[in-house]
Amino acid sequence: MIARMRKLINLIQFALTICILVLLLIALVSPSQLSPLIDREGYPITNHPISWTTPVGSDYYGIDVFQKLYIALFNNMKYAIASLISFLIFGLALGISYGFKGQENHYEYLKYYLRKRRFSVLGFKIVQNIANILLYVLQSIPVVLSVTIIIIVLQRVVPNPDLRIFVEMLFVGLFLSPKIALAVAERIENLQAEEYIRAAKGMGISRLRLIFHHILWLASRGTIILHSINLIIQAIMLEVFLSYFSYGPDAITLGNMISNDIVYLAGVFSSADIPKSLDTIQALSPFIILLTFSLSFRWLGTKAIEMTE
C-alpha cells in the first residue's frame, strides 16, 4: 500500500514537473507582449470563459490569463537564474578556497614565499586568504538583514525597477553563497582525509581537472544540484515578497499577479456572497503555479541527486 502511494505521488510530481517545463517552453517560443482577445468587431473579449484556447479565461481587459501566467513564470525564472549564477560563482569559488586552506596560508608562510620570490604562490595564497575572510564575513551577517539593507539602498541607487530586480538577485546569490561554499569545502576536506586528492596529484592529474571534474562534478554534483534548486525557489519567493510590498519589477511576474489578486481573494473569504467562479479561478492561478513550481522543482532535484549517486 505504501509503495503504491509513493508511486502515485511520484507520478503526480512528474506530471507537475512536465506542466511547468511546458509552460516555460511555451513562454520561450511565444511573444512576451500581452495582446487582448479581440472579437470580430475589434472589441476586447472580456471575461471570456474557460476553453481550449483560453484555459484560464480572460480578465476584465480581455487579456488571456494563461498567457500572463507563462510570461510571469518565465520572468521569475530569469530573475532566479541571475541569482543562481551569482550563487554558483561566488559559492563554488569560496568553497574551493576554504576547502584547500592549510597552515601555508598563515602570515609566516606568506613572508617565506615573499623572501623566496615565489610570487605566483604568494598571490594565490593572498587571494585565498581574502576569499576566506569574505566567507567569514558573509557567514556572520544575517541573510535577512543583508538583503533588507541591499533592497533599501538599491531603491535609491537603481531607479529602474526591472533593472533593480536583477541587481537585487545578484546580491541575494552572493549573500546565500556560504551555504554551498561550506558544503563544497566539507566535501573537499573529506576527500583530503581519505587521501583522494593526494593520490590524484600523485597520478599527475592537473589542478583544474582535479577541481572541476573530480571534486565539483564527481564528488559534489548532488550537493550543487540540491542547493541550486533551493536557491531558485528562494529567489522566486523573494520576488513574490518584494512585489507584494510594491518593491518588485514592473514586468509581469507571479508576485505582481499575486499582489493584485490577493485583495480579491481576501474579499471572497470574508464575504458571505457567492463569488464568481471564473474570477476566483483566475485569482488562485498564480498561487497554484507557484505551489506547483516549488513541488515539481524539489522533486526534480531529489531525482537528479538519486541519479548522480
Side-chain angles (χ1 to χ4, degrees):
M1 183 66 181
I2 297 178
R4 289 182 180 179
M5 287 296 296
R6 287 179 178 176
K7 288 183 180 180
L8 179 60
I9 292 173
N10 283 331
L11 183 61
I12 293 174
Q13 290 179 320
F14 175 75
L16 293 178
T17 304
I18 294 298
C19 292
I20 292 297
L21 294 178
V22 168
L23 283 178
L24 292 174
L25 182 61
I26 293 174
L28 190 62
V29 300
S30 301
S32 58
Q33 297 294 329
L34 291 176
S35 55
L37 301 175
I38 303 297
D39 59 15
R40 295 180 180 179
E41 299 179 355
Y43 295 102
I45 306 175
T46 60
N47 298 321
H48 190 279
I50 295 175
S51 63
W52 287 106
T53 56
T54 55
V56 199
S58 65
D59 59 14
Y60 296 108
Y61 303 100
I63 301 297
D64 185 1
V65 178
F66 181 73
Q67 185 185 16
K68 289 176 65 176
L69 286 173
Y70 67 69
I71 291 176
L73 181 62
F74 184 73
N75 287 335
N76 278 89
M77 277 299 298
K78 288 193 300 184
Y79 307 144
I81 289 175
S83 183
L84 178 63
I85 292 173
S86 173
F87 177 74
L88 291 178
I89 290 176
F90 287 103
L92 296 181
L94 294 175
I96 292 170
S97 174
Y98 193 73
F100 281 105
K101 71 181 186 302
Q103 292 182 348
E104 63 271 15
N105 288 69
H106 194 269
Y107 178 66
E108 297 297 329
Y109 285 89
L110 296 181
K111 290 195 299 183
Y112 169 79
Y113 294 137
L114 182 61
R115 288 198 306 268
K116 295 296 183 179
R117 296 188 177 183
R118 299 178 62 180
F119 297 117
S120 60
V121 179
L122 177 63
F124 175 75
K125 295 302 178 183
I126 291 176
V127 172
Q128 196 174 20
N129 282 339
I130 294 174
N132 294 341
I133 293 173
L134 178 60
L135 178 60
Y136 176 78
V137 172
L138 291 175
Q139 281 183 274
S140 304
I141 303 175
V143 176
V144 175
L145 177 61
S146 58
V147 171
T148 303
I149 293 175
I150 287 298
I151 291 172
I152 294 174
V153 172
L154 290 179
Q155 291 295 319
R156 296 181 176 273
V157 177
V158 184
N160 187 349
D162 294 324
L163 175 61
R164 184 172 61 237
I165 188 66
F166 279 105
V167 180
E168 289 169 347
M169 289 299 172
L170 291 175
F171 276 103
V172 168
L174 170 63
F175 288 120
L176 291 176
S177 61
K179 292 184 177 181
I180 192 173
L182 294 176
V184 171
E186 182 181 1
R187 186 58 59 93
I188 293 175
E189 292 173 356
N190 293 336
L191 293 176
Q192 286 179 328
E194 297 170 0
E195 300 292 334
Y196 179 91
I197 294 178
R198 183 174 297 181
K201 290 181 179 179
M203 295 172 61
I205 297 176
S206 65
R207 182 181 293 270
L208 289 179
R209 180 174 175 80
L210 174 64
I211 292 174
F212 288 100
H213 180 71
H214 291 271
I215 295 177
L216 294 183
W217 176 247
L218 295 179
S220 305
R221 56 184 174 179
T223 302
I224 294 173
I225 291 173
L226 178 62
H227 284 280
S228 298
I229 293 294
N230 290 334
L231 187 277
I232 290 175
I233 295 174
Q234 290 173 352
I236 290 180
M237 294 299 179
L238 177 62
E239 186 280 324
V240 173
F241 177 80
L242 292 176
S243 296
Y244 179 77
F245 289 100
S246 302
Y247 293 125
D250 291 337
I252 303 170
T253 63
L254 293 176
N256 282 331
M257 294 184 69
I258 289 174
S259 178
N260 295 331
D261 294 336
I262 201 167
V263 177
Y264 169 79
L265 290 176
V268 167
F269 292 115
S270 62
S271 175
D273 299 331
I274 299 177
K276 295 181 179 179
S277 58
L278 179 61
D279 292 343
T280 304
I281 292 173
Q282 292 177 353
L284 288 173
S285 59
F287 293 92
I288 296 173
I289 292 295
L290 187 62
L291 179 61
T292 303
F293 179 88
S294 179
L295 293 175
S296 61
F297 260 62
R298 288 192 183 278
W299 176 83
L300 191 63
T302 303
K303 291 301 177 182
I305 293 173
E306 292 177 356
M307 294 175 61
T308 56
E309 290 180 349

